[in-house]
Amino acid sequence: MGAYIFRRLLLIVPTLVAIMMINFVIIQTAPGGPVEQVIAELTGEGSPAIERVTRAGGGETLGGQKGGIAADTRAAGKYRGAQGLDPEFIAQLEKQFGFDQPLHERFLTMMGKYIVFDFGESYFRNASVVDLVLEKMPVSVSLGLWTTLLTYLISIPLGIAKATRDGSNFDVWTSAAVIVGYAVPAFLFAVLLLVVFAGGSYLDWFPLRGLVSEHWDDLSWPQRILDYFWHLALPITAMVIGGFATLTMLTKNSFLDQIGQQYVMTARSKGLTEGRVLYGHIFRNAMLIVIAGFPSAFVAVLFTSTLFIEVIFSLDGLGLLGFEAVLRRDYPLMFGTLYFFSLLGLLLNLISDIMYTIIDPRIDFEARGA
C-alpha cells in the first residue's frame, strides 16, 4: 500500500500542472483581462481599482502627463476600449499585471511561487489571496461540512429502508420525495424557505442573512452555538433537500445489488436473523462505494453548490468570492484558489482510495498493479 500511495503522490504533480496549464492558457488568452477591466473603469474616476493600480504602478493621475488621456490611439489595436489612451499608460498597466512577459514565462513564474504557497495579492482587493480565502473559509466550510454530514445521515438510512422495502408503499412515496428533491434546484428550495420561514409572507422564525448575529461577540458560548446553527438552519436545509436524492438512490441500488448475491442466501439458510444478515454481511459490501466517496462529496458540496445559497442568504463565502474573481478577472485570486483546491481535491481522491482498503481489506491496489 505504501508504494501505491507514493506513486499516487507522484502522479499528483503532473496532474496538477496540467490542470493549471490548461486553465491558465484559456483564461489568460480570453478577452476581458485585468488591463481591459481597468480601461473599462476609466470613466469612473476615483474607483478603488483605478486608484490602486495607478498608485502601485507609480503613475500619476489620469489627467497627468504619464497616465493622462492622449490623442495617440496606437493602444487601441491591442485592447478593446483603449482608443485615446496614452500608450505609456497601457504599458504601465501591462507591467503592473505582468503582461509585459510572454505567456510561458508568466506561467512558470506563477507555478514557482505556488510551489511555496505564495499566491500573491488580489488585483482589485487590498488583501492577499491567502487572507481572503481564510476570511471566507468559515462560511463555506460550515455549509459544506454540515450539509455533507446531514445528507449522509439522512440518505443512508433512507436508502437502506427503501432497499429492504423495495416495491412497498413506503418505497413508492419516498421515491416521489426523492424525485422532487432531484428535480428542483437547491436555490429554489432556498427561496421557498425564505418566503415561508424568514419574514416573507408567512413566518418570521429565522434570520435573513449572515452566518452569525451582529451581537455574536456579546453572547455566551452556548448562545453563540445556538445562534450559529440558527443562521445555518435554512441554507443547510435547502442544500440537503437539493442533494440527498442521488445518495439515497445510490445506497438503495447498492443494497439491492448485494441482497441478491449468493452469500446472502447462504447466510439466511444458516438461520441468521435479517438484521444480522443485513448489517453483518450486506452492509460492508454495499456501503463501500457510498462511504469511500465521502471526501469527494464534501469537496463537491463545498466548492460547487454554494454560490446561489450564499447569494440568497447573504453569506460571504468562497463561492461568492470565486464568482466575483471571475467577473473582475482577478487572476491571482482565480489561479491561487484553483491551485489550492485542485491540490486538495487530488489529495482527497487519494484518501477515498485508501478508505476503500480500510472498509474492505480484500481490495488491494498493489496486487492490481495500480
Side-chain angles (χ1 to χ4, degrees):
M1 189 63 183
Y4 169 76
I5 294 176
F6 180 73
R7 289 197 300 269
R8 284 291 301 272
L9 289 175
L10 291 179
L11 186 61
I12 285 176
V13 177
T15 304
L16 184 60
V17 171
I19 292 173
M20 296 301 300
M21 182 182 299
I22 293 172
N23 284 275
F24 185 87
V25 172
I26 294 174
I27 294 174
Q28 290 263 342
T29 56
V35 175
E36 291 165 295
Q37 291 283 326
V38 174
I39 293 173
E41 293 181 5
L42 287 176
T43 54
E45 295 184 6
S47 68
I50 297 299
E51 290 180 358
R52 186 178 176 207
V53 168
T54 54
R55 285 200 306 267
E60 300 176 5
T61 60
L62 295 179
Q65 177 68 26
K66 188 174 181 180
I69 298 177
D72 195 332
T73 60
R74 287 175 294 174
K78 191 171 183 180
Y79 297 107
R80 181 183 303 174
Q83 295 88 346
L85 294 182
D86 189 346
E88 292 186 6
F89 177 68
I90 300 299
Q92 174 189 321
L93 289 179
E94 290 180 332
K95 184 176 181 180
Q96 171 77 18
F97 294 118
F99 282 85
D100 57 331
Q101 301 176 354
L103 185 65
H104 68 280
E105 290 186 10
R106 298 202 301 269
F107 177 75
L108 293 176
T109 301
M110 181 189 74
M111 293 301 296
K113 293 180 179 180
Y114 284 4
I115 290 176
V116 294
F117 293 95
D118 179 11
F119 299 115
E121 289 197 0
S122 167
Y123 283 159
F124 301 106
R125 292 170 178 259
N126 191 23
S128 67
V129 172
V130 174
D131 290 339
L132 287 172
V133 171
L134 292 178
E135 179 185 348
K136 312 301 182 183
M137 186 72 80
V139 172
S140 295
V141 169
S142 296
L143 291 175
L145 179 62
W146 295 118
T147 299
T148 305
L149 288 175
L150 285 177
T151 300
Y152 269 75
L153 289 175
I154 294 173
S155 299
I156 291 176
L158 180 60
I160 295 174
K162 287 174 64 62
T164 56
R165 298 171 175 82
D166 185 39
S168 65
N169 290 333
F170 173 82
D171 182 41
V172 173
W173 285 107
T174 53
S175 293
V178 168
I179 292 173
V180 172
Y182 183 79
V184 181
F187 70 89
L188 289 183
F189 283 118
V191 173
L192 176 63
L193 292 174
L194 276 179
V195 172
V196 176
F197 296 107
S201 303
Y202 301 95
L203 304 173
D204 189 10
W205 290 354
F206 296 95
L208 279 171
R209 65 191 65 213
L211 187 62
V212 294
S213 300
E214 294 182 358
H215 61 284
W216 191 78
D217 292 334
D218 299 328
L219 301 176
S220 63
W221 277 108
Q223 291 175 327
R224 289 183 179 184
I225 295 174
L226 291 176
D227 182 78
Y228 168 75
F229 285 107
W230 182 48
H231 281 77
L232 282 177
L234 293 186
I236 289 179
T237 299
M239 295 180 68
V240 169
I241 292 176
F244 83 102
T246 301
L247 184 59
T248 298
M249 296 308 299
L250 177 63
T251 304
K252 176 189 175 181
N253 293 333
S254 181
F255 269 81
L256 284 177
D257 180 67
Q258 294 297 320
I259 288 174
Q261 298 294 324
Q262 182 65 41
Y263 74 90
V264 176
M265 292 184 286
T266 301
R268 287 171 176 167
S269 65
K270 292 181 178 180
L272 298 179
T273 63
E274 284 297 316
R276 179 70 181 276
V277 172
L278 181 62
Y279 295 102
H281 293 76
I282 299 176
F283 187 83
R284 187 179 67 177
N285 296 324
M287 290 302 298
L288 177 62
I289 189 173
V290 177
I291 296 179
F294 180 85
S296 299
F298 173 70
V299 173
V301 172
L302 185 60
F303 303 118
T304 62
S305 305
T306 60
L307 174 59
F308 289 123
I309 299 299
E310 290 178 10
V311 172
I312 292 171
F313 291 99
S314 299
L315 297 170
D316 192 8
L318 291 174
L320 189 58
L321 178 68
F323 179 69
E324 293 176 350
V326 172
L327 290 181
R328 299 298 303 273
R329 297 297 197 273
D330 196 339
Y331 289 165
L333 191 55
M334 292 171 62
F335 292 124
T337 53
L338 174 66
Y339 177 87
F340 177 77
F341 295 125
S342 296
L343 178 60
L344 179 62
L346 292 171
L347 291 175
L348 287 178
N349 283 333
L350 175 58
I351 294 175
S352 296
D353 289 345
I354 296 174
M355 289 184 65
Y356 276 111
T357 62
I358 295 175
I359 298 172
D360 191 348
R362 295 173 299 175
I363 297 178
D364 187 1
F365 291 107
E366 291 287 347
R368 295 170 180 262

